[in-house]
Amino acid sequence: MTTAARPRRLLHPLGCLCFLVVAAFAASISSAAGRVVTSLPGFDGDLPFHLETGYVEVDEDAGVELFYYFVRSESESESGDAPFLFWLTGGDRCSVFSGLAYEIGPIRFVVEPYNGTLPRLRYNQNSWSKVSHILFVDSPVGAGFSFSRDPKGYDVGDISSTQQLRDFLIKWFDDHPEYLANPFYIGGDSYAGKIVPFIGQMISEGIEAGRRPFPNLKGYLVGNAATGESIDTTSRVPYAHGVGIISAQLYETILGHCQGEDYTNPANTLCAQALYTFNNLIDEVQHAHILLDRCVYASPAPNVVSRMDGSDNRRILRAEMGRGMLNHPPARPPFGCLTYRYYLSYFWANDKRTREALGIKKGTVDEWVRCHDGDLPYTKDLKSSIKYHRNLTSRGYRALVYSGDHDLLVPHLGTQAWVRSLNFPIVDDWRAWHLGGQAAGFTISYSNNMTFATIKGGGHTAPEYEPERCFAMFTRWILNNPL
């Protein structure tokens, strides 16, 4: 593996210039590791938004560097004090590019059959960057373009990777002090929803201890968020029953025999049998969105040929592999599946032109994959994040907890249950919230500045399925307006 350059500060190449000139030159550069990207391969013309990419080193001993995409707010009138959103993505070690290109960011893939040429991009009219700066980071190390020079650096977990994110933010804002005063929010979905309140806790403690530089934390938001608690998975049973996936008899059997059982490894034989039937039934639907067709999940596979469908697919992938470009192409979903855009991202991100445009360090990530598949070590040592939700909101920080209402992975029933367990008084009882004169979901607000909302028609990553509704929800909430 080629060793990449480590320095975070740039030095003037001419040694004859005095120190003051060198210092002035360095100070004029917003980020030593960052670059402004004005165009992207596959996007027609210059980008209509400001994009910066770069790395921040968070473990000097192991040489761990986290890669980021920073999109400046597109609202010129608010650019000085626009909200600032720090966005994370779930796992297993999924690249934050998913957030940038499928969920809340300003680019989208043009979904068209892949023919071996570079996939095309277009602008997203529902980008959250219309009202907020967004800093996307590939975390934990090993996700996306983040890397470690020492293989031991990839052995992280909930706690250590969150500490690295805290260090990332301190160094990033040290290089970008102009954003320190902006209202700062942390956001993420799926497994990242477990990390968001934990890093919020770390930042709030740093602020209270008077450490600098820390951003101007105002709150956080999580979507279909994991907590680490059993409710994340046990809530699938009443949800599946409520939407007609399992029978009333099976539902009653599980309730009767699985009380207090570990749903992933039940000791009770009758419970195990019932859950076996349950899992077979829910596998008949798409877990991330129960109304969509089941599609091949576009992730890396050791046996490429066994995961491909169609002679044309094999021809294209083998041609790519024959050129020595791609080692683990994902399965090719049927065209029309939502996962087809994931398939396109693999070829886009691994193209030499893309890597050059983004400033990817050579020899660091030989092959980009959207998500990993258990091939890198990770310790789930944060048992529950619920107490951090309580701590942050009790300290006055705002919170938006939202759920796509068609998600079977982390159903809204489980999220509602742990939100209610906080026992906050209700200040605005359950009601519909609207867009275009129609209900876009339902919401309830509690004291301690916590709001829960559902997204009608949303799946596990709600903005991916209902971008217009989620943009409306985010815009209202981040600007302190009622949903």
Side-chain angles (χ1 to χ4, degrees):
M1 180 178 290
T2 303
T3 301
R6 287 195 183 186
R8 287 175 49 77
R9 296 288 184 186
L10 293 179
L11 297 179
H12 199 286
L14 300 179
C16 62
L17 295 181
C18 68
F19 172 80
L20 290 177
V21 174
V22 175
F25 177 79
S28 69
I29 300 174
S30 62
S31 174
R35 67 159 60 188
V36 175
V37 180
T38 58
S39 63
L40 287 173
F43 193 95
D44 187 18
D46 291 339
L47 298 178
F49 53 88
H50 177 94
L51 173 64
E52 177 188 311
T53 63
Y55 297 87
V56 172
E57 188 174 65
V58 293
D59 183 342
E60 186 175 354
D61 293 336
V64 173
E65 297 188 26
L66 301 184
F67 184 76
Y68 69 86
Y69 308 81
F70 172 61
V71 181
R72 197 161 61 195
S73 173
E74 298 170 51
S75 176
E76 291 294 337
S77 62
E78 299 179 43
S79 60
D81 58 357
F84 191 111
L85 177 61
F86 181 53
W87 188 261
L88 306 173
T89 295
D92 179 10
R93 274 186 165 93
C94 291
S95 171
V96 79
F97 184 76
S98 295
L100 179 74
Y102 314 133
E103 299 178 47
I104 68 169
I107 60 173
R108 288 286 184 273
F109 279 98
V110 176
V111 181
E112 53 194 359
Y114 178 67
N115 61 4
T117 61
L118 186 73
R120 295 189 299 142
L121 301 171
R122 61 176 178 83
Y123 177 68
N124 173 28
Q125 296 291 341
N126 292 298
S127 175
W128 292 11
S129 60
K130 286 181 175 290
V131 293
S132 173
H133 307 296
I134 312 177
L135 177 59
F136 300 90
V137 60
D138 275 332
S139 175
V141 57
F145 288 118
S146 293
F147 69 92
S148 174
R149 296 184 185 87
D150 186 338
K152 294 179 181 178
Y154 291 104
D155 191 357
V156 294
D158 293 334
I159 295 174
S160 57
S161 64
T162 305
Q163 291 170 337
Q164 289 182 345
L165 285 171
R166 176 200 57 198
D167 295 343
F168 172 94
L169 284 171
I170 292 172
K171 291 184 178 181
W172 195 89
F173 277 102
D174 185 49
D175 279 338
H176 300 76
E178 65 272 26
Y179 298 106
L180 274 171
N182 293 69
F184 180 80
Y185 293 86
I186 311 165
D189 49 26
S190 189
Y191 196 83
K194 179 182 173 185
I195 303 300
V196 166
F198 186 41
I199 189 173
Q201 173 87 7
M202 285 187 177
I203 293 173
S204 68
E205 290 172 351
I207 292 173
E208 290 175 4
R211 301 188 190 120
R212 295 290 183 271
F214 265 114
N216 182 21
L217 181 64
K218 294 297 182 182
Y220 66 95
L221 60 155
V222 290
N224 291 87
T227 65
E229 296 274 1
S230 62
I231 192 67
D232 296 345
T233 53
T234 58
S235 61
R236 295 172 187 171
V237 173
Y239 181 81
H241 174 236
V243 296
I245 296 174
I246 67 171
S247 67
Q249 293 91 331
L250 179 59
Y251 175 63
E252 291 166 0
T253 299
I254 294 174
L255 289 186
H257 295 288
C258 296
Q259 293 294 329
E261 291 284 338
D262 178 357
Y263 275 34
T264 59
N265 189 27
N268 182 299
T269 301
L270 292 177
C271 173
Q273 292 173 347
L275 289 177
Y276 177 80
T277 302
F278 171 79
N279 288 324
N280 284 335
L281 287 170
I282 65 172
D283 281 347
E284 294 291 336
V285 301
Q286 177 66 264
H287 291 187
H289 195 298
I290 62 171
L291 298 185
L292 299 185
D293 291 341
R294 292 176 68 247
C295 289
V296 173
Y297 187 73
S299 61
N303 187 348
V304 176
V305 175
S306 69
R307 291 280 297 275
M308 295 187 297
D309 55 286
S311 59
D312 182 59
N313 184 51
R314 284 189 285 271
R315 178 185 61 78
I316 291 175
L317 292 186
R318 284 172 177 160
E320 294 289 350
M321 293 171 69
R323 292 203 294 268
M325 294 173 60
L326 307 176
N327 298 319
H328 303 92
R332 184 174 192 169
F335 186 73
C337 284
L338 188 76
T339 54
Y340 200 88
R341 67 192 73 177
Y342 304 162
Y343 174 75
L344 294 175
S345 68
Y346 177 84
F347 300 99
W348 185 84
N350 283 303
D351 191 280
K352 180 180 178 181
R353 291 163 291 182
T354 298
R355 288 173 172 247
E356 290 177 349
L358 295 177
I360 304 306
K361 294 182 178 181
K362 294 182 179 179
T364 56
V365 177
D366 294 331
E367 181 180 33
W368 182 94
V369 293
R370 191 185 74 88
C371 295
H372 283 265
D373 193 19
D375 56 320
L376 293 173
Y378 189 84
T379 305
K380 296 181 178 180
D381 49 8
L382 184 63
K383 302 307 178 185
S384 174
S385 63
I386 293 177
K387 64 180 178 181
Y388 302 112
H389 288 282
R390 182 189 303 277
N391 291 348
L392 286 172
T393 54
S394 297
R395 291 176 177 178
Y397 295 107
R398 302 176 65 221
L400 172 63
V401 180
Y402 64 90
S403 291
D405 62 9
H406 283 68
D407 175 29
L408 182 56
L409 288 171
V410 184
H412 66 87
L413 292 179
T415 302
Q416 287 188 62
W418 69 254
V419 168
R420 289 184 64 192
S421 75
L422 299 175
N423 291 318
F424 295 152
I426 296 171
V427 296
D428 186 6
D429 210 345
W430 190 267
R431 63 173 176 81
W433 66 275
H434 299 86
L435 181 64
Q438 299 291 328
F442 296 83
T443 183
I444 185 171
S445 296
Y446 299 88
S447 63
N448 291 21
N449 292 313
M450 176 170 278
T451 297
F452 172 77
T454 64
I455 310 298
K456 188 173 73 172
H460 185 57
T461 46
E464 186 172 7
Y465 300 91
E466 291 292 337
E468 187 176 3
R469 288 171 179 164
C470 288
F471 175 65
M473 173 195 69
F474 173 75
T475 300
R476 294 172 192 176
W477 182 80
I478 201 74
L479 298 179
N480 288 286
N481 296 319
L483 296 190

